[in-house]
Amino acid sequence: MNHTLQKENLHYKPFLFIISVFVTTWGCAALMEIADYRAYRILHTVLDFLENASPLICALFLFKKYLTAGHFLRRFFLGNSCGVVRYLIVFLLFTVQFLNFYLFRLPDTSLTIQDFLSVFVGQLLLGGGLEEAGWRGYLLPCLYRRRHVLISSTAVSILWILWHLPYFFLPGTTQEGQNFISYAIIGLLTGFILTAIYLLTKSVLLCMLFHSWQNTIVMVLPADTENTGFLLTFTILGLMSALLCLFCKPQEHISD
């Protein structure tokens, strides 16, 4: 195996990835709906993990022939060394997202560092952060090799949003009872932010951290999503990220 394997030399199977991820996650959701949580708590825990981890599992399975290549996993998760400025931009994206929720938080919302960190670690290791290895680590670079980066980002976000549909019907999930249209708009804007982070650094790990960061904020620091200031700030952050995607657009144009 070539020990200097580059990301642009990888062979992708996007349709197989999409089908595998949807079948795995929606199948787990169906089993969770059928099985009584009180009687099968361990089963529910395993199924919930598989739901969240299915993009990661499917991506690594489809990349299995590259796993023995020198430094493949390191490059896949850590990306490229890209200079201080780009990391500062990513840091600002994290910071602005936190401040937006914090400044427009619901009344009487309390926040402790211990609660925030415990939820964040859980999201990174067992929750939403795991998804990014598949969506932004596998599918996004596959699509932007042949399509405009913003079209690719939007396509990934739409699939990502649809992939979450079962969560709207499962009791106890973050999506339960949410307005789907609002969720979709926030999902598209968040997709631009995650795409910008990936293009700036090529780091799947940073995308995983941001996804976990945002999920944690939503859970422990819920904002007034009806507030105009919150919506405006979120929209500006998403649009600015879309502009970053244009400035950092990938140069790979590859035929398999």
Side-chain angles (χ1 to χ4, degrees), residues 43-103:
L43 176 61
H44 268 251
T45 301
V46 172
L47 291 173
D48 185 50
F49 172 77
L50 290 176
E51 277 188 312
N52 293 312
S54 63
L56 166 65
I57 295 170
C58 292
L60 292 181
F61 177 79
L62 292 174
F63 275 158
K64 61 183 182 299
K65 68 179 181 180
Y66 305 118
L67 296 181
T68 57
H71 309 301
F72 172 78
L73 286 177
R74 181 187 66 80
R75 286 202 65 208
F76 179 75
F77 284 104
L78 300 183
N80 302 329
S81 179
C82 57
V84 175
V85 173
R86 293 193 173 204
Y87 286 121
L88 283 175
I89 293 173
V90 172
F91 176 77
L92 285 174
L93 293 174
F94 274 75
T95 303
V96 173
Q97 189 72 313
F98 176 84
L99 291 176
N100 189 32
F101 278 82
Y102 182 79
L103 294 175

Side-chain angles (χ1 to χ4, degrees), residues 232-247:
L232 181 62
T233 304
F234 206 116
T235 301
I236 291 173
L237 185 61
L239 294 178
M240 292 294 292
S241 297
L243 289 176
L244 282 172
C245 293
L246 294 177
F247 283 110

Side-chain angles (χ1 to χ4, degrees), residues 11-32:
H11 178 70
Y12 293 92
K13 298 178 180 178
F15 293 110
L16 182 57
F17 170 80
I18 293 168
I19 293 170
S20 300
V21 168
F22 272 77
V23 168
T24 302
T25 297
W26 287 19
C28 288
L31 290 174
M32 291 176 70

Side-chain angles (χ1 to χ4, degrees), residues 178-238:
Q178 281 196 33
N179 182 290
F180 182 76
I181 300 300
S182 299
Y183 183 86
I185 293 171
I186 289 175
L188 287 172
L189 293 171
T190 301
F192 288 137
I193 300 171
L194 288 164
T195 297
I197 291 173
Y198 183 80
L199 294 180
L200 283 165
T201 64
K202 296 297 177 68
S203 171
V204 169
L205 178 59
L206 281 174
C207 293
M208 295 171 68
L209 289 170
F210 184 87
H211 193 139
S212 302
W213 179 259
Q214 179 163 304
N215 280 10
T216 301
I217 295 170
V218 170
M219 295 172 70
V220 305
L221 200 63
D224 179 6
T225 55
E226 304 297 324
N227 188 292
T228 304
F230 171 81
L231 295 173
L232 181 62
T233 304
F234 206 116
T235 301
I236 291 173
L237 185 61

